[in-house]
Amino acid sequence: MLDRRTIIVALLLVLIAAPAAFARRSSARQTDVRALDTGVLAKLNAIRIAHGLRPLKMNAQLSVAAEDHSAEMLDDGYFAHESADGTPFWKRLTPYYSAAPHGTWSVGENLLWSSPDVDADRALQLWMASPEHRQNILTPRWREIGIAAVHADTAPGLYDGAPVTVITTDFGVRS
């Protein structure tokens, strides 16, 4: 039988180790989604180059917008270009990516939700099989992109508590 002191020491060791283990899991998951973001950009640009189009450059503001939207969809359990409050995607992107004074801008968006083990190859296969998503990928005017894959171990609503990864790609051009 364990004495009280041994139990307390064991509990303290668990409490000390738990944050470190959580941080390692969290860090590994972040690394995985960052690698997915990078892979999606590489595969998408390879497709564009194969079709005679210029590659897209990563845009930090569009990436923040994409990450915010992916996270919102997972948190609120929905999947749509519009925000949870019904705001159209282009209005949602305006605070992140708008034209310079007297300039013009245009944006497009591809979304994907899948099992947590989705990779860049599979994401691009799915988008290229969809006429609307394929058109976004092959639109010549796009110059920049924001990409954000976000993973949840459990997600509510549409996702029915299952583990899921959502990828948002926001395309843009400003002049």
Side-chain angles (χ1 to χ4, degrees):
M1 178 176 226
L2 297 175
D3 67 355
R4 185 174 183 189
R5 183 178 173 164
T6 304
I7 293 171
I8 291 172
V9 168
L11 285 173
L12 286 173
L13 289 173
V14 168
L15 291 174
I16 291 167
F22 176 75
R24 280 192 302 273
R25 278 197 309 273
S26 177
S27 175
R29 183 170 47 214
Q30 288 174 350
T31 300
D32 290 346
V33 294
R34 284 189 191 127
L36 182 54
D37 293 348
T38 302
V40 166
L41 178 63
K43 298 291 182 184
L44 190 144
N45 276 336
I47 291 169
R48 286 180 62 86
I49 290 166
H51 285 84
L53 301 171
R54 77 169 58 170
L56 301 176
K57 293 180 182 174
M58 190 66 85
N59 177 283
Q61 293 95 353
L62 285 174
S63 290
V64 171
E67 184 168 0
D68 287 352
H69 191 56
S70 288
E72 178 184 282
M73 288 188 288
L74 285 173
D75 290 345
D76 293 346
Y78 77 99
F79 183 76
H81 292 286
E82 295 77 25
S83 295
D85 66 4
T87 302
F89 86 93
W90 63 271
K91 281 188 178 180
R92 174 175 42 80
L93 291 173
T94 301
Y96 301 94
Y97 189 83
S98 59
H102 310 293
T104 61
W105 66 284
S106 181
V107 290
E109 184 171 74
N110 283 358
L111 303 175
L112 174 74
W113 71 277
S114 187
S115 63
D117 61 349
V118 67
D119 62 13
D121 285 328
R122 183 67 179 141
L124 269 297
Q125 287 171 359
L126 291 167
W127 282 326
M128 291 301 284
S130 160
E132 295 86 3
H133 295 99
R134 178 185 178 90
Q135 181 179 354
N136 260 344
I137 292 167
L138 299 178
T139 294
R141 75 176 176 271
W142 300 139
R143 296 294 178 259
E144 299 177 298
I145 191 166
I147 303 170
V150 177
H151 172 78
D153 290 331
T154 61
L158 170 72
Y159 311 107
D160 199 28
V164 65
T165 296
V166 171
I167 306 171
T168 300
T169 57
D170 288 324
F171 301 86
V173 62
R174 294 187 268 207
S175 56

